Amino acid sequence: MNDNDLKRAGLSATQPRRLILDLLQQNPEAHLSAEEVYRRLLEQGETVGIATVYRVLGQFEKSNLINRHQFDGTTSVYELNQGKHHDHIICNECGRVVEFIDEEIEQRQRNIAEQQGFHIDSHLLYIFGHCTNPNCRYKP
Amino acid sequence: MNDNDLKRAGLSATQPRRLILDLLQQNPEAHLSAEEVYRRLLEQGETVGIATVYRVLGQFEKSNLINRHQFDGTTSVYELNQGKHHDHIICNECGRVVEFIDEEIEQRQRNIAEQQGFHIDSHLLYIFGHCTNPNCRYKP
DNA sequence: TCAATATTGATAATAAATCCCAAGTATTTT
DNA sequence: AAAATACTTGGGATTTATTATCAATATTGA
């Protein structure tokens, strides 16, 4: 049960919050939009208002239970925060998302920011391309 | 006159396109939203419909005359494409944007993509932080 | 358990961007 | 250069993702 995760985040354990966190914990690799979360709950026979889905995802993001990304310019997707920061490679054709982290890139960023007189709050690195996955719709 | 730039991009030389390209060429360092472009043209006494501004910016982006960015998740901004790729550091407080490029980071990205079986189309790196600019609203 | 407080969910509102289409402008043809 | 054709514009309606409102409901601490 994930009530403890909610408590730790300073959130009371309500049904919608339980369901949404559960769904994300069950799919730790997934990057789901609010609509997708809504639909999946419906499929499970659980009804949570779409407004609540947005609200709860926002709360989870604020308490660092999950991370928000915007791979395309229009829709936010959310994934479970598993502690380890990482960046993303996204296939423009099949949508596959691969996570990676590169300490050298992280270090260079810190250097650059310092050089420019900035203190880093966060960063965001997406690499877009075509993957060679056999399931990929893209045929080279 | 920038009619030639338009021709080269395969776009006929209409008044709105001239005005918008002019504005961006006059401010090569600026990152303007569609609304801002619209407002600045109004200030110049030129009226271009907002729908046209969006349309033309889209066309310019497609023909690589300009680049589109989304520093916050909600609004796109555009800047003149001056050929040289670069990344951005954005101050969360005062909105200042500094451009940089780091060959080491570029190289690491290529390595990582190859390792993961991707062919890179593009990438996007934003560093968000606080700047130490005296004009910055952020007081450390 | 019960009252105080927080949360939910249906719906309305918002904001950015796109679509539609009649009227206007640019380009090509003659 | 005028006529014919093709493309572009602009105003408003529309879409899409998300947020705000608020009465009804659920949660929690005493």
Side-chain angles (χ1 to χ4, degrees), chain B residues 2 7 11 16 19-20 24-25 27 29 43 53 55 57 68 75 77 81 89 94 100 114-115 118 120-121 125 132:
Chain B
N2 50 26
K7 286 280 154 63
L11 297 168
L19 289 167
I20 293 171
L24 292 163
Q25 290 181 334
N27 300 278
E29 80 302 330
E43 283 166 17
V53 172
R55 219 173 0 217
L57 289 172
R68 175 206 293 243
T75 311
V77 295
N81 181 351
I89 307 186
C94 72
F100 70 90
E114 189 178 4
Q115 252 172 54
F118 275 78
I120 296 185
D121 288 335
L125 169 57
T132 54

Side-chain angles (χ1 to χ4, degrees), chain A residues 70 73 89-92 96 98 100 102 104-105 108-109 112-113 116-132, chain B residues 70 73 89-92 96 98 100 102 104-105 108-109 112-113 116-132:
Chain A
Q70 265 195 325
I89 307 185
I90 303 104
C91 177
N92 280 325
R96 187 164 68 109
V98 170
F100 71 90
D102 186 88
E104 202 175 318
I105 290 182
R108 292 295 303 148
Q109 290 186 35
I112 291 161
Q116 302 283 353
F118 275 77
H119 171 266
I120 296 185
D121 288 335
S122 64
H123 77 261
L124 191 150
L125 169 57
Y126 301 145
I127 300 178
F128 298 97
H130 292 105
C131 75
T132 52
Chain B
Q70 266 196 324
I89 307 186
I90 302 104
C91 177
N92 280 325
R96 187 163 68 109
V98 171
F100 70 90
D102 186 88
E104 201 174 320
I105 291 182
R108 290 297 302 149
Q109 289 186 35
I112 291 160
Q116 301 284 354
F118 275 78
H119 171 265
I120 296 185
D121 288 335
S122 65
H123 78 260
L124 193 149
L125 169 57
Y126 301 145
I127 300 178
F128 297 97
H130 292 105
C131 76
T132 54

